Amino acid sequence: ALSEAGFCLPGSIGDERTRCGKPNCRCKSDPPVLHGPYHHWTRKIGGRTAGRYLSDDQLDRYGSWFEQAKRIRDLLAELETLSL
């Protein structure tokens, strides 16, 4: 199964909604209408958390790569268990 793996990306994707700094914006109304969603990719680089926002097109293109990375991690965990 590992030999069939394609591209993969580490980390996770989360959707965020935010408020801006404009005083009369809709995000400050009651109830607030927040901006977004913005797709935020978070991962570790050199022991530190790094993040990047992805566009809708990028998420469509790379979304399966995050799922593939999880599948590879699960397969490696299974292999380690079998090895022990």
Side-chain angles (χ1 to χ4, degrees), residues 46-67:
R48 298 185 61 137
T49 301
R52 178 178 174 183
Y53 287 99
L54 300 177
S55 67
D56 290 337
D57 291 338
Q58 289 173 320
L59 183 62
D60 290 342
R61 195 172 331 137
Y62 306 135
S64 64
W65 295 7
F66 296 103
E67 295 166 12

Side-chain angles (χ1 to χ4, degrees), residues 62-75:
Y62 306 135
S64 64
W65 295 7
F66 296 103
E67 295 166 12
Q68 186 71 1
K70 182 184 181 329
R71 183 169 181 263
I72 289 171
R73 285 192 302 272
D74 291 344
L75 287 170

Side-chain angles (χ1 to χ4, degrees), residues 10-39:
S12 60
I13 296 287
D15 286 338
E16 298 178 358
R17 294 187 172 272
T18 62
R19 291 185 179 167
C20 69
K22 298 178 184 174
N24 295 326
C25 184
R26 63 189 171 106
C27 65
K28 302 286 193 308
S29 65
D30 187 25
V33 180
L34 301 179
H35 301 281
Y38 301 107
H39 314 294

